[in-house]
Amino acid sequence: MKQSLVNLIFYSDRRKDLLLLLKEEPRDIDTIKNLLNVDARSIQPHIKKMKDARLIIEEKKVYMLSEIGEVIVENMEPFLNSIEVFEANSEYWKTRDLTQIPDYLLERIDELEHCELLEPDAEHMLETPKVFMDNIRSSKEIFTLVSYFHPEAPSLYASLAENGTKLTLCMTKNVIERLVTGFPEEAKRLFKSENSKIFICQKPSPIPIIVVTDKFLSLKMFENDGKLRDQLLISTEEKALRWGKELFWHCMRVAEPTEEKPDI
């Protein structure tokens, strides 16, 4: 009985890995063995099946993807990467409200690869994670959208702006009010800095916090019941930074920000 391409590819990690390997460039059998850490006896049956299905072709003892194989692998890779993104932090994604992420970004969720989930323990509940602080302090440009107040933020962002970091800050009205009333000196430094652009969200932000810089992406999302836990997704991958910046500007449009500045 003829085997379907789905079964042929996805029922064998070895065949799947072989296709992804050949996507990079054609390889001979010795290179394939070394890179996949297999021997010829174990990999040759898989190569034969892929050749019979016309996913792989052989020329002068070098294996490469066929035109059909190239099309399949090109579409297969984002699918596999999406699964890896969800599996890496499965409990987090299961409990998060994804309805606030636009469809065009959900379709590219595979770009959030190698995300680290940060959750403080009881002894460090009120502390900002060190990896976040290290990355933001070394960033040259920062885009932040925030819907809740953190007491460390005013001093941090004011210092960054004064030291030459370009800031685009979008805060909800209640965050702005707490900033101005509770930290008037830091607020004045922020609003007067030539490096900072301050926006006020006139509507609740669909995402509680987005921080994306030239160094990293940091993201907090509401749970399905609308609650917010102190869990932070962070990634330094280039694709994730582009994805995060698109989400930032999407939320800016949805939130209808303005450039009004309160009296200080």
Side-chain angles (χ1 to χ4, degrees):
M1 184 174 65
K2 186 177 180 180
Q3 189 176 23
S4 73
L5 289 179
V6 171
N7 290 345
L8 179 67
I9 297 170
F10 291 104
Y11 282 15
S12 168
D13 286 340
R14 196 149 287 174
R15 291 195 288 271
K16 179 184 66 181
D17 292 342
L18 176 61
L19 287 176
L20 294 173
L21 183 66
L22 294 181
K23 179 179 182 291
E24 299 173 1
E25 62 181 15
R27 318 269 189 177
D28 60 27
I29 187 62
D30 289 332
T31 305
I32 290 172
K33 289 190 301 182
N34 290 335
L35 293 176
L36 294 183
N37 194 27
V38 296
D39 56 39
R41 184 176 180 180
S42 63
I43 196 63
Q44 285 289 7
H46 296 293
I47 291 177
K48 183 179 185 307
K49 288 184 179 182
M50 303 295 252
K51 287 174 63 179
D52 291 344
R54 294 297 296 172
L55 297 180
I56 289 176
I57 56 178
E58 179 184 358
E59 294 182 3
K60 298 179 181 180
K61 297 185 178 181
V62 173
Y63 299 97
M64 63 194 73
L65 295 177
S66 67
E67 290 183 356
I68 295 174
E70 288 179 356
V71 172
I72 288 176
V73 176
E74 190 67 34
N75 289 277
M76 178 181 77
E77 198 166 15
F79 170 72
L80 294 173
N81 289 342
S82 296
I83 292 175
E84 289 181 8
V85 166
F86 289 128
E87 284 187 338
N89 297 291
S90 59
E91 289 306 313
Y92 177 87
W93 290 111
K94 286 176 186 176
T95 58
R96 287 309 175 276
D97 178 11
L98 303 183
T99 61
Q100 301 303 322
I101 298 178
D103 290 343
Y104 70 91
L105 287 178
L106 277 178
E107 291 169 2
R108 290 163 41 208
I109 200 75
D110 60 289
E111 295 176 15
L112 294 184
E113 57 187 351
H114 304 133
C115 276
E116 182 181 2
L117 182 61
L118 304 179
E119 185 171 16
D121 54 35
E123 294 182 2
H124 304 88
M125 192 63 67
L126 300 179
E127 297 179 16
T128 303
K130 183 178 184 299
V131 64
F132 178 94
M133 296 298 288
D134 289 345
N135 275 291
I136 202 166
R137 283 173 175 154
S138 63
S139 297
K140 296 179 180 177
E141 187 171 23
I142 300 170
F143 300 86
T144 295
L145 184 145
V146 63
S147 61
Y148 69 93
F149 187 82
H150 195 293
E152 288 184 78
S155 177
L156 172 64
Y157 279 101
S159 297
L160 288 169
E162 290 171 344
N163 289 330
T165 304
K166 294 182 179 179
L167 305 178
T168 300
L169 305 179
C170 183
M171 297 171 277
T172 52
K173 209 166 186 177
N174 65 308
V175 174
I176 286 279
E177 289 172 354
R178 287 198 61 186
L179 169 64
V180 172
T181 58
F183 297 81
E185 183 59 36
E186 288 83 356
K188 185 178 295 185
R189 290 162 60 196
L190 266 175
F191 283 113
K192 288 187 175 181
S193 173
E194 294 181 355
N195 293 314
S196 62
K197 296 179 181 179
I198 311 295
F199 295 84
I200 303 174
C201 293
Q202 301 294 356
K203 294 183 179 181
S205 170
I207 307 291
I209 185 168
I210 305 167
V211 179
V212 58
T213 81
D214 53 299
K215 294 285 187 179
F216 76 113
L217 164 68
S218 178
L219 182 66
K220 277 189 183 180
M221 298 178 62
F222 290 113
E223 294 185 287
N224 290 320
D225 58 5
K227 295 180 179 178
L228 181 63
R229 290 182 61 185
D230 195 13
Q231 292 179 311
L232 196 65
L233 272 182
I234 190 167
S235 176
T236 58
E237 297 291 329
E238 192 65 35
K239 287 183 179 179
L241 306 193
R242 291 196 297 268
W243 190 96
K245 193 171 290 187
E246 288 187 51
L247 180 62
F248 172 83
W249 288 114
H250 169 81
C251 291
M252 288 279 281
R253 291 195 302 270
V254 171
E256 297 182 3
T258 72
E259 288 191 355
E260 291 181 21
K261 296 185 178 181
D263 295 329
I264 302 177

